[in-house]
Amino acid sequence: MKRLAIVLAFIFAFTAAFTHLERTYSQKFFDITGDAQWIWAQHRMSDNQPVAFFAARDFTLPEHRVYTRIKVLGDPEYTLFVNGREVAGRRVGGIRGREEERVLDLYDISALVKTGRNRVVIAVRAPQGSGGLIASIDIGPEAANWVVTDASWKIYRRWNPGILVRDAPAGIWQPPQVIGAPPVGHWNYLATKERELVPPPTRVMQPKDVFEEVGLIPKIKTSGGVAVAGTDSARATVFDFGFTKGRVRLIDTGERPASEAVMIRFAFARPELKLAEWNLRPMVFAPGDHVLTTPEVHDFRYAMVFGRGVRAELVN
């Protein structure tokens, strides 16, 4: 009986400590994002089909505020627009398994907003169709989470430049799918990390050479009900920019299949173009999208684009 009492006391103490720890971290994260919810487009994530959408929200700022800062994470890839201007973005899914990649990005947007009506639009792109979006806006130490992602946001499945500045009529947008409040899924409790806003591009570089190539891309094949990792040969267009650094812009010429993600491989040497796993990066166009730019900067010479109807250029 004495041993049983000791075991029960240990279990009680452990449970109490765990509950206290969970409450502490829950309150800490609530202080960061308040009532913010993870949201997504109305989309079956289990279908593994590429999806791109634009989450929009008008919000009003009071005259007296200390600053305006936005905390955002769009997993696996997002681009942030404030009052019609593209200001930031990040590819979160580029390095799976690294927890530091899944943090709330903190941007100071004080210089981009004004007293009264403002608008934020977040473009989210997911090659496998699954992910999450969470955002929260602070206007001072005592006025955190002034605006948060929730069911009031509007989801646009088709790109139109007009949505950057105003809402479209009802019927063109849809309410979001609310995933839930943190902690949920693989995101758990997220810390914040300050990041710089991205200046608008000022220089566009065309490729020095363009040529056709056949390359390998990874593919999961099903044989007898068993998924087997393999490769497929695919035709691609290679854009040679010389050794350079910058963001890559893809331009849809109108011949691209609308439902497919575009695969792009970055390489320094021509033999690397033949490697199946080498620097392969998916990019997802939304319906109506004709121009798509990587949020991250690449260091490379060749940009190998799989699929027809897409050309590439470099922006800095």
Side-chain angles (χ1 to χ4, degrees):
M1 291 294 295
K2 183 177 181 181
R3 180 177 296 178
L4 177 62
I6 293 174
V7 171
L8 291 175
F10 175 79
I11 293 174
F12 177 79
F14 177 82
T15 302
F18 179 82
T19 302
H20 174 74
L21 187 64
E22 195 276 336
R23 286 176 178 171
T24 300
Y25 275 96
S26 295
Q27 183 60 44
K28 181 179 179 181
F29 198 80
F30 181 84
D31 292 341
I32 295 175
T33 57
D35 293 320
Q37 304 273 322
W38 287 97
I39 63 173
W40 198 246
Q42 299 286 346
H43 175 82
R44 285 173 55 108
M45 297 190 191
S46 60
D47 287 347
N48 287 331
Q49 294 298 316
V51 64
F53 63 89
F54 309 90
R57 175 73 149 78
D58 287 336
F59 61 98
T60 302
L61 290 176
E63 181 178 0
H64 301 291
R65 57 189 184 276
V66 181
Y67 48 67
T68 306
R69 298 173 180 170
I70 184 169
K71 296 160 288 191
V72 59
L73 175 60
D75 188 3
E77 180 181 332
Y78 76 90
T79 305
L80 173 66
F81 300 85
V82 177
N83 287 335
R85 175 185 159 187
E86 179 184 340
V87 298
R90 186 162 70 93
R91 185 187 178 207
V92 182
I95 311 177
R96 283 295 178 192
R98 285 179 53 178
E99 293 302 322
E100 63 266 28
E101 289 297 300
R102 290 196 288 269
V103 298
L104 282 166
D105 299 325
L106 174 63
Y107 302 100
D108 190 327
I109 57 172
S110 301
L112 305 175
V113 296
K114 59 186 182 299
T115 299
R117 177 188 172 276
N118 294 269
R119 185 170 177 82
V120 60
V121 176
I122 306 172
V124 184
R125 304 176 191 276
Q128 303 301 323
S130 60
L133 168 64
I134 192 169
S136 174
I137 296 176
D138 301 340
I139 60 173
E142 305 301 324
N145 310 310
W146 185 261
V147 179
V148 297
T149 44
D150 55 21
S152 68
W153 285 56
K154 294 179 173 65
I155 302 295
Y156 293 87
R157 300 299 296 271
R158 171 173 288 274
W159 167 250
N160 184 318
I163 66 175
L164 294 180
V165 293
R166 68 179 64 85
D167 279 330
I172 297 178
W173 56 268
Q174 58 186 214
Q177 172 184 344
V178 177
I179 300 174
V184 66
H186 61 267
W187 300 291
N188 206 357
Y189 299 104
L190 300 176
T192 59
K193 182 173 182 178
E194 292 188 19
R195 299 192 187 272
E196 297 294 325
L197 298 176
V198 177
T202 57
R203 185 166 65 104
V204 177
M205 179 188 298
Q206 300 302 322
K208 300 178 187 229
D209 189 22
V210 179
F211 56 92
E212 301 297 316
E213 184 67 270
V214 175
L216 296 175
I217 55 175
K219 185 162 187 169
I220 302 296
K221 302 177 182 179
T222 302
S223 178
V226 178
V228 179
T231 58
D232 265 356
S233 296
R235 289 194 169 276
T237 304
V238 181
F239 300 86
D240 181 1
F241 291 94
F243 294 102
T244 189
K245 185 175 183 178
R247 299 168 66 198
V248 173
R249 176 185 290 164
L250 296 186
I251 300 167
D252 182 0
T253 61
E255 302 174 10
R256 180 188 60 85
S259 61
E260 295 181 3
V262 174
M263 305 299 290
I264 179 170
R265 171 171 291 137
F266 296 97
F268 288 104
R270 289 192 66 155
E272 295 171 354
L273 300 175
K274 297 288 189 179
L275 301 178
E277 300 290 345
W278 183 265
N279 280 347
L280 195 62
R281 194 245 200 260
M283 298 183 70
V284 183
F285 284 83
D289 256 343
H290 296 291
V291 178
L292 185 56
T293 306
T294 62
E296 74 275 16
V297 172
H298 299 272
D299 196 356
F300 68 105
R301 174 176 177 175
Y302 300 104
M304 183 180 193
V305 180
F306 291 88
R308 66 183 187 274
V310 178
R311 61 183 178 86
E313 59 189 24
L314 185 76
V315 294
N316 287 311

